[in-house]
Amino acid sequence: MMTVVEQSPAAVHGRVARVKARTNTRELLVRCGVEVFCELGFQATGIEELLKRVGVPKGSFYHFFDSKRDFGVAVVDKYAAYFEKKLRRSLEDESLQPLERIRAFVEDAKQGMAKFGFTRGCLVGNLSQELAGFDPQFRAQLEAVLRSWQGHTAACLQLAIDDGAIPAHFGAAALAEFFWIGWEGAILRAKLTQDVEPLESFAANFLRLAAA
Amino acid sequence: MMTVVEQSPAAVHGRVARVKARTNTRELLVRCGVEVFCELGFQATGIEELLKRVGVPKGSFYHFFDSKRDFGVAVVDKYAAYFEKKLRRSLEDESLQPLERIRAFVEDAKQGMAKFGFTRGCLVGNLSQELAGFDPQFRAQLEAVLRSWQGHTAACLQLAIDDGAIPAHFGAAALAEFFWIGWEGAILRAKLTQDVEPLESFAANFLRLAAA
């Protein structure tokens, strides 16, 4: 049986405000982490730099996260959730044909890269490059994120196969895996060329080859 | 008219030995740079760490290189030359059919990645990720290296087109660009999975799609 403790409205309000502030601080830290890790990487980013940007004392950081690594895991989760939403917005857009949805995702990604002057790229790709060599836990997390994106892409490609827009023989899952392996390469290359050409060229050739 | 200065055999020998030692020290530093930059990246590697590995005093480093950046450029040149030789050994192997040559290169790359426990990857891909955001000179150098690799790959694919092994309509240059954009993604992904599967899968699908 639950015990109901009566509280004054002011006490309830105070507790709600504290919970809200706590949630906001954690959220602010993680959002800032996405931004800074995208730009500078994980190892090159100091916690101090992050706290300065958000305007939060050090103790507060360790209230929410056991370590920088623990924080990194939360940042990857945040980015993965944000990106999945973005990806599904294109790939599940029923106003478009399945292959047009992939083109819509590519257009969205092109704009995203151009917006930050081709410096940020994909956080999952960046951290794979930086951390895969020596951190098995990050490795598993990043691979799982890519597999989830592949899953959504495979579902969209399956619709294109069902519609007869691409032949069935390659298989939607194999095409989606191929796309995501190569797409992270295209993001990387766009950082070098500082333009959308590698993204455009990879996606166009992928769609031409898949439809052949 | 040239003036010939007579020198004792001992003096000539001494000078030759000094030139040789100097060449060797520079060569040793650059080779070690390739190794260490592949593993740890450019920014995370201290010059001191490098000097300790090679057993060379600091003054000697600055005798050969104006800065760490200048050294980085030499390291990329070294890696590019090494890799071009490796690539051409497969792609110009006249005992193999053109598409078999691409498969031979892929096999070679798989062994290379496995040899270092999937930690090193491709120095050009690694530095693209790390430095492209803020260093235009490295960016131009790295892009030129990738274009040169693409050129050798296009020449091999043109032979496959001439033989009728793949259809002409995609174009050898476009296929080679597509391959190299995606291949750097496959190297990156193999660091995550810690196995050759992404390399195998990307190459097999590339060849299947190109031949379709």
Side-chain angles (χ1 to χ4, degrees):
Chain A
M1 199 180 111
M2 288 181 71
T3 310
V4 178
V5 179
E6 285 211 19
Q7 292 186 313
S8 72
V12 171
H13 181 78
R15 209 191 48 221
V16 168
R18 278 195 306 278
V19 168
K20 209 172 149 190
R22 228 173 25 228
T23 311
N24 284 349
T25 303
R26 192 187 186 279
E27 179 71 14
L28 272 174
L29 283 166
V30 172
R31 276 171 190 259
C32 182
V34 169
E35 218 171 273
V36 183
F37 287 174
C38 268
E39 246 169 67
L40 306 176
F42 180 77
Q43 292 161 291
T45 302
I47 295 299
E48 281 74 15
E49 160 72 11
L50 207 84
L51 296 171
K52 216 170 64 189
R53 285 206 192 197
V54 182
V56 156
K58 199 160 184 172
S60 183
F61 180 88
Y62 288 103
H63 175 72
F64 296 115
F65 307 103
D66 289 341
S67 61
K68 185 183 173 190
R69 223 189 141 288
D70 185 33
F71 175 64
V73 170
V75 168
V76 172
D77 277 342
K78 178 80 190 170
Y79 182 83
Y82 147 80
F83 195 87
E84 178 170 318
K85 213 170 134 186
K86 189 179 159 82
L87 182 65
R88 293 179 73 173
R89 201 163 42 224
S90 296
L91 297 185
E92 296 171 7
D93 179 350
E94 296 194 352
S95 72
L96 299 174
Q97 297 293 316
L99 295 186
E100 284 171 358
R101 300 179 194 181
I102 300 204
R103 279 187 208 103
F105 162 68
V106 170
E107 283 309 311
D108 196 26
K110 279 161 59 181
Q111 283 172 27
M113 276 207 80
K115 189 175 159 189
F116 296 108
F118 303 94
T119 53
R120 288 198 179 172
C122 168
L123 184 66
V124 169
N126 298 0
L127 294 186
S128 299
Q129 186 71 271
E130 193 185 342
L131 305 173
F134 48 86
D135 195 314
Q137 195 191 327
F138 267 125
R139 207 153 56 214
Q141 188 190 14
L142 295 166
E143 175 67 12
V145 171
L146 286 168
R147 286 194 177 267
S148 125
W149 296 348
Q150 275 171 207
H152 294 297
T153 309
C156 180
L157 288 166
Q158 187 57 54
L159 295 178
I161 290 170
D162 296 344
D163 287 356
I166 54 177
H169 57 100
F170 293 125
L175 282 175
E177 191 197 15
F178 183 70
F179 178 81
W180 275 101
I181 289 175
W183 183 250
E184 288 290 346
I187 299 276
L188 179 57
R189 188 67 174 269
K191 286 182 166 186
L192 271 194
T193 60
Q194 300 268 295
D195 60 34
V196 296
E197 206 276 327
L199 304 176
E200 241 166 35
S201 142
F202 181 82
N205 280 307
F206 170 79
L207 290 170
R208 275 172 70 201
L209 288 164
Chain B
M1 198 179 110
M2 287 180 74
T3 311
V4 178
V5 179
E6 283 213 17
Q7 292 186 314
S8 72
V12 170
H13 182 78
R15 208 189 50 218
V16 168
R18 279 195 304 278
V19 168
K20 209 172 150 188
R22 228 172 27 224
T23 311
N24 284 350
T25 303
R26 191 187 187 281
E27 178 72 12
L28 271 174
L29 283 166
V30 172
R31 275 172 190 259
C32 183
V34 169
E35 220 170 88
V36 183
F37 287 173
C38 269
E39 247 169 65
L40 306 176
F42 179 78
Q43 292 161 291
T45 303
I47 295 299
E48 281 74 17
E49 161 71 13
L50 207 88
L51 296 170
K52 216 170 65 188
R53 285 206 190 196
V54 182
V56 156
K58 199 160 184 172
S60 184
F61 179 87
Y62 288 102
H63 174 72
F64 296 115
F65 308 103
D66 288 341
S67 61
K68 186 182 172 190
R69 226 189 140 287
D70 184 33
F71 175 64
V73 170
V75 167
V76 172
D77 277 342
K78 178 80 191 171
Y79 182 82
Y82 147 80
F83 195 87
E84 177 168 319
K85 211 170 136 186
K86 189 178 162 83
L87 181 65
R88 293 178 72 173
R89 203 162 44 227
S90 296
L91 297 186
E92 294 171 9
D93 179 350
E94 295 195 351
S95 73
L96 299 174
Q97 296 295 316
L99 295 186
E100 285 172 358
R101 299 179 194 181
I102 299 202
R103 279 188 208 100
F105 161 69
V106 169
E107 283 309 311
D108 195 26
K110 278 161 58 181
Q111 284 173 28
M113 276 209 79
K115 189 174 160 190
F116 296 107
F118 302 94
T119 53
R120 287 198 181 173
C122 168
L123 184 65
V124 169
N126 298 359
L127 295 186
S128 298
Q129 186 71 270
E130 193 186 342
L131 305 174
F134 49 87
D135 195 314
Q137 195 190 327
F138 265 125
R139 207 152 58 213
Q141 187 189 15
L142 295 165
E143 175 67 13
V145 171
L146 286 168
R147 288 194 175 266
S148 126
W149 296 348
Q150 275 173 207
H152 294 297
T153 309
C156 180
L157 287 166
Q158 187 57 55
L159 295 178
I161 290 170
D162 295 344
D163 287 357
I166 53 176
H169 56 101
F170 293 124
L175 282 174
E177 191 197 15
F178 183 70
F179 178 82
W180 275 101
I181 289 175
W183 183 249
E184 288 290 347
I187 300 276
L188 180 57
R189 189 66 176 268
K191 288 183 163 184
L192 272 193
T193 61
Q194 299 269 295
D195 59 34
V196 296
E197 206 275 327
L199 303 177
E200 242 165 35
S201 144
F202 182 81
N205 280 308
F206 170 79
L207 291 170
R208 276 172 70 203
L209 289 165

